[in-house]
Amino acid sequence: MVEKVKAGYKQTEVGVIPEDWKLISFDDAFDSCSSASYSRSDLTENGDIFYIHYGDIHTKWNYFLDFSKHTVPTIDKLKLKHYSLLKDGDLIIVDASEDYEGICKSVEVTNINKIKAFSGLHTFLFRSKKNTFVDGFKGYISSNKVVRDQYNRLATGLKVYGVSKTNIKRILIPLPPTEKLQKASNVQNKSLYEANKEVYTLLRYGADIKEKVGEHKKTVHFIDWNNRLNNDFYIAQEVTITGIHDKRPDIVLYVNGIAVAVIELKRSTISVAQDIRQNLDNQKEMFIKPFFSTIQLVMAGNDTEGLRYATIETPEKYYLSWKEKSTVKNKLDRALLQLGDKERLLEIIHDFLVFDSGTKKICRHNQYFGVRESQKYLKKRKGGIIWHTQGSGKSLTMIWLAKWIRENIPNSRVLIITDRQELDDQIERFFKGVKEDIYRTKSGKDLIKKLNTTEPWLMCSLVHKFGRKTSTDVDDFLAELRDSMPKDFKAKGDIYVFVDECHRTQSGKLHKAMTTILPKGVFVGFTGTPLLKADKRNSIKTFGKYIHTYKYDEAVNDKVVLDLQYEAREINQRLSSPEKVDQWFEAKTKGLTDVAKRELKKRWGTMQKVLSSQSRLNKIVADILLDMEKNDRLLSGRGNAILVAGSIYEACKYYELFQGHGLKKCSMEKTLIYSKRK
């Protein structure tokens, strides 16, 4: 029985394609260029020519090989013979795969500019003839269902599947009309970020329209935010979204007919990561990018791993997990019931999304509950402390809470106080990054002046601008501050004060300056620093009890921050002879490849000299430098390490030695550790 072809499509010898598309063979569309055949063992970290290995196409890159972003291995230029150097727009196809999904996986070369590179083992290199395709389209050719079906029919092999170059040239490629090809390649379209931002503004604030000429504009709201259940909610399964390549998201959530969330689900044996990648692929130009202009939440899940959520264009590693107490045992069901609750879904869309300098962000669970608990306190005009561990997003928590105060408490104003210049800089930069016009006070006098007027509504200031930081007598300093204020001074508006790093100076006498100037102000302290008992008592006494806490171990479990690992090291102090030093080197580098050892040997002369010295500190520095050279997390420059010295003098010597041996990314921090003995 022949399946009926739906309207707008036509049947061809290789499958169904849109009516206005045509077929073109690989041989007519591309010229074949030469590839090399060196294996991975020939590669090096310091070669002169970049080399594309088929394994990297399988595991690292999807659709495009962007030389401005991706890390590519190198090979020695002496091996380069008559092979074709890559150009922008070239298509590289792998000729072998251990599974059908990877057959003829390909990438389009972009941003290569003057970089010298060539494709290697198990790859075919094709170059477009006569500009048949615009740049940005070729990377998606192999993902087209019609093309993939042909690959699978032509593949040969038992354990490893492949398609010969001769057979690839016979493949027929569906080609859209020129105007659609241009649109698909994002020549004239807005970015998804900008399109989504425009739609979000309309959803949140409504659209101003005139029904008749001469009438005043009226604001039409697409969603009833005040009565959230007074909206129409729908769920649709496997909705077909048309595009250059059609896609069918597993579940789409609609509010008043507007698609606001999408969910990809897999059976429990397939990783959630695969769902996330599918979501990311669907947002690309060649698929259904316009569909995502209204989408606010992007989710993926299965029964064993639960649900992960994010917003548009969020990289896989930044997808979040929702944590909340529940009697529901199934991880996926629990998260869906919590995030998919009608009122909460709209609350998150309305109050917990932000467009931050090109990146759309959504709240973590600790930020959501921190703001929610704070709202309860502030409605009663009570302050307190939000203790969220360092790196868990306190700045965004401040932004969402400040916006809520502005929109829900009449005549409200927000003042954010820090006690260090760099924190003041950071707060200003962060709020302006999300288009919140924050005023940064220039001096204590300027702060008093702004507080004595009704504008601006949002300000930031250094705590020491309440007086002179160098004053040794805070009482005299407060008296002087009172004398400098106008007689009729009274801070205007309902003022809410956020105090960043509230465990520090604000817990002392300087806090009196703040409460003297703002006797009716409501103070909320923010910190994430572990406190000594005395500091904890002072903070609670000053600001009130904890509003919400998110502890370090919780953040580590949520993979929000990295765990701090302590490694005790024993350094051999008797490495005086070259033979012993070489023995030590072999022991330390056991397990490394020959290539890695050769790279270390290039710098071995310096280490050998340092290790052979009589200085204990030199030996410790050399041991650390070796770690920096052989451990990927440190070698790549993405990791950090802390060395604790026994004294300030010793720390200075370490710093001097590291600088002298080429480790320039090194700094010193002074920390006093007190111990009480009974």
Side-chain angles (χ1 to χ4, degrees):
M1 181 178 177
V2 179
E3 186 177 347
K4 185 178 179 181
V5 178
K6 64 181 180 179
Y9 288 79
K10 63 184 179 183
Q11 181 71 51
T12 71
E13 64 266 40
V14 290
V16 176
I17 64 173
E19 209 164 40
D20 55 350
W21 289 35
K22 65 180 182 179
L23 293 172
I24 183 172
S25 71
F26 251 92
D27 199 30
D28 290 335
F30 291 98
D31 285 320
S32 175
C33 302
S34 59
S35 298
S37 57
Y38 299 112
S39 66
R40 193 175 289 278
S41 62
D42 293 305
L43 305 185
T44 177
E45 294 179 2
N46 299 305
D48 306 284
I49 307 291
F50 290 98
Y51 182 85
I52 314 307
H53 191 270
Y54 78 101
D56 292 331
I57 296 177
H58 275 305
T59 59
K60 291 184 179 180
W61 309 314
N62 289 314
Y63 309 114
F64 297 96
L65 169 53
D66 187 342
F67 276 84
S68 68
K69 297 178 181 178
H70 297 144
T71 302
V72 181
T74 59
I75 197 167
D76 186 32
K77 68 180 180 181
L78 295 176
K79 293 182 179 292
L80 180 61
K81 298 178 182 177
H82 55 278
Y83 308 114
S84 302
L85 288 173
L86 298 180
K87 296 181 179 180
D88 275 332
D90 282 352
L91 184 67
I92 305 173
I93 301 178
V94 296
D95 73 350
S97 172
E98 293 181 356
D99 55 59
Y100 267 78
E101 288 185 4
I103 292 174
C104 290
K105 187 179 179 185
S106 63
V107 291
E108 180 179 344
V109 176
T110 64
N111 294 316
I112 194 167
N113 299 318
K114 295 181 180 180
I115 296 171
K116 291 184 178 181
F118 59 99
S119 63
L121 184 68
H122 293 306
T123 68
F124 298 135
L125 176 60
F126 291 98
R127 187 162 293 157
S128 181
K129 293 180 180 178
K130 302 176 184 178
N131 297 318
T132 306
F133 307 99
V134 297
D135 289 342
F137 181 85
K138 296 184 283 289
Y140 297 105
I141 288 174
S142 290
S143 65
N144 184 287
K145 184 179 183 301
V146 170
V147 174
R148 292 222 58 77
D149 287 345
Q150 294 176 77
Y151 284 155
N152 292 343
R153 286 197 296 270
L154 294 170
T156 59
L158 297 175
K159 293 185 177 180
V160 176
Y161 309 105
V163 179
S164 68
K165 185 183 290 187
T166 301
N167 280 336
I168 287 178
K169 289 181 177 181
R170 295 164 48 198
I171 297 289
L172 296 177
I173 306 166
L175 183 67
T178 303
E179 65 274 12
K180 286 190 176 181
L181 195 59
Q182 289 288 103
K183 184 178 178 182
S185 300
N186 201 20
V187 173
Q188 298 174 337
N189 283 6
K190 291 180 181 177
S191 69
L192 178 55
Y193 174 85
E194 290 297 333
N196 191 275
K197 186 177 180 181
E198 287 184 12
V199 171
Y200 179 77
T201 300
L202 290 172
L203 290 179
R204 196 180 192 281
Y205 301 106
D208 293 332
I209 63 168
K210 284 184 179 180
E211 290 186 9
K212 296 179 181 178
V213 177
E215 288 187 352
H216 292 294
K217 287 184 177 180
K218 295 181 180 179
T219 301
V220 176
H221 292 280
F222 302 96
I223 295 175
D224 188 343
W225 299 110
N226 296 321
N227 303 290
R228 290 173 183 151
L229 294 179
N230 190 32
N231 293 286
D232 292 323
F233 297 85
Y234 296 94
I235 296 176
Q237 190 173 2
E238 293 192 343
V239 180
T240 299
I241 311 296
T242 58
I244 293 298
H245 302 299
D246 295 355
K247 286 288 183 177
R248 297 172 67 186
D250 288 337
I251 295 175
V252 180
L253 307 184
Y254 293 88
V255 177
N256 300 336
I258 302 167
V260 297
V262 63
I263 309 172
E264 289 293 338
L265 299 173
K266 288 284 187 292
R267 59 182 181 271
S268 58
T269 56
I270 298 178
S271 171
V272 170
Q274 192 165 322
D275 280 332
I276 293 173
R277 294 187 202 113
Q278 187 171 331
N279 271 325
L280 290 170
D281 287 345
N282 288 350
Q283 295 170 52
K284 294 190 180 293
E285 191 70 41
M286 287 300 112
F287 296 105
I288 54 172
K289 171 183 160 184
F291 168 74
F292 284 87
S293 62
T294 67
I295 295 296
Q296 308 305 316
L297 271 79
V298 182
M299 295 175 273
N302 64 26
D303 284 329
T304 55
E305 295 179 75
L307 190 73
R308 305 278 299 283
Y309 70 98
T311 59
I312 56 159
E313 297 182 321
T314 301
E316 180 185 333
K317 66 179 180 179
Y318 294 120
Y319 268 64
L320 305 170
S321 297
W322 190 262
K323 299 287 181 68
E324 184 180 2
K325 290 181 179 179
S326 172
T327 56
V328 179
K329 293 183 179 180
N330 182 278
K331 291 181 179 180
L332 179 60
D333 292 347
R334 180 168 66 239
L336 285 172
L337 288 169
Q338 291 167 342
L339 275 176
D341 175 83
K342 294 176 182 178
E343 292 191 89
R344 177 173 286 176
L345 176 68
L346 291 186
E347 180 188 17
I348 288 175
I349 293 173
H350 189 269
D351 293 337
F352 293 96
L353 293 173
V354 69
F355 292 83
D356 181 11
S357 303
T359 303
K360 187 177 182 182
K361 297 177 180 177
I362 191 171
C363 63
R364 298 186 182 114
H365 62 91
N366 63 291
Q367 294 166 322
Y368 172 82
F369 291 112
V371 171
R372 285 291 305 273
E373 287 301 308
S374 298
Q375 292 169 5
K376 296 175 185 177
Y377 274 68
L378 298 184
K379 286 176 181 178
K380 301 175 184 177
R381 297 197 56 76
K382 287 184 178 181
I385 298 171
I386 296 177
W387 198 101
H388 285 185
T389 192
Q390 292 174 330
S392 60
K394 291 190 293 296
S395 296
L396 277 175
T397 302
M398 286 186 185
I399 288 171
W400 284 314
L401 185 55
K403 288 168 74 75
W404 180 87
I405 290 172
R406 177 67 167 167
E407 294 179 347
N408 292 275
I409 300 178
N411 201 30
S412 58
R413 302 175 74 187
V414 176
L415 170 62
I416 301 174
I417 294 173
T418 64
D419 73 341
R420 286 192 298 159
Q421 185 72 41
E422 56 267 35
L423 287 175
D424 201 38
D425 295 341
Q426 184 186 46
I427 291 294
E428 180 191 34
R429 186 171 62 251
F430 213 94
F431 271 81
K432 287 191 173 181
V434 297
K435 305 301 181 186
E436 288 294 342
D437 191 14
I438 186 168
Y439 180 80
R440 188 175 182 180
T441 60
K442 301 175 181 68
S443 64
K445 184 178 180 180
D446 184 36
L447 178 61
I448 295 295
K449 180 181 177 181
K450 295 301 179 185
L451 288 172
N452 204 28
T453 59
T454 56
E455 294 290 339
W457 81 269
L458 181 61
M459 297 171 282
C460 63
S461 179
L462 281 171
V463 68
H464 296 300
K465 287 177 184 173
F466 283 98
R468 296 169 303 185
K469 185 177 178 181
T470 56
S471 175
T472 56
D473 191 335
V474 177
D475 293 327
D476 290 343
F477 154 75
L478 293 177
E480 181 183 352
L481 188 59
R482 284 193 295 268
D483 292 341
S484 67
M485 287 191 294
K487 291 182 180 179
D488 61 344
F489 174 79
K490 183 180 179 182
K492 305 302 187 291
D494 189 0
I495 297 181
Y496 295 82
V497 185
F498 296 170
V499 184
D500 196 21
E501 300 297 347
C502 66
H503 64 284
R504 292 206 284 255
T505 55
Q506 293 90 334
S507 293
K509 282 189 174 183
L510 283 174
H511 183 266
K512 292 182 180 179
M514 296 152 60
T515 53
T516 299
I517 296 171
L518 305 169
K520 294 184 179 180
V522 178
F523 291 80
V524 179
F526 288 80
T527 189
T529 304
L531 305 179
L532 298 173
K533 286 184 178 180
D535 292 331
K536 184 176 179 180
R537 285 194 298 268
N538 287 337
S539 297
I540 293 174
K541 183 179 179 181
T542 301
F543 292 96
K545 62 182 183 179
Y546 290 114
I547 296 172
H548 190 262
T549 62
Y550 183 57
K551 298 175 182 177
Y552 176 74
D553 58 343
E554 294 177 89
V556 170
N557 289 334
D558 290 343
K559 298 182 180 178
V560 172
V561 298
L562 294 173
D563 198 3
L564 182 63
Q565 296 184 348
Y566 170 74
E567 181 181 358
R569 303 293 291 270
E570 182 180 355
I571 310 300
N572 193 332
Q573 302 296 321
R574 298 179 180 178
L575 296 174
S576 54
S577 69
E579 293 79 12
K580 287 187 177 180
V581 171
D582 285 337
Q583 290 172 9
W584 175 85
F585 177 83
E586 289 300 324
K588 281 290 188 180
T589 57
K590 187 177 181 181
L592 295 183
T593 64
D594 291 338
V595 173
K597 284 187 178 182
R598 282 200 300 271
E599 289 303 307
L600 281 177
K601 282 283 188 182
K602 292 178 182 179
R603 291 179 284 276
W604 181 233
T606 301
M607 289 188 192
Q608 200 172 30
K609 183 178 178 181
V610 174
L611 278 166
S612 298
S613 74
Q614 297 301 313
S615 166
R616 170 181 167 272
L617 297 188
N618 258 317
K619 289 183 169 66
I620 292 173
V621 166
D623 194 64
I624 292 171
L625 288 174
L626 184 65
D627 258 8
M628 302 288 276
E629 293 293 341
K630 72 175 187 176
N631 290 340
D632 178 66
R633 189 67 179 169
L634 299 172
L635 179 63
S636 64
R638 298 191 302 270
N640 296 307
I642 300 172
L643 174 63
V644 180
S647 67
I648 294 175
Y649 171 79
E650 196 174 86
C652 292
K653 289 298 293 181
Y654 278 130
Y655 180 80
E656 186 179 275
L657 288 168
F658 281 125
Q659 293 285 307
H661 294 305
L663 186 62
K664 301 299 182 183
K665 292 183 178 180
C666 178
S667 64
M668 286 193 298
E669 293 286 340
K670 177 184 174 184
T671 303
L672 298 179
I673 301 175
Y674 300 97
S675 62
K676 294 181 180 180
R677 297 183 180 179
K678 294 182 180 180

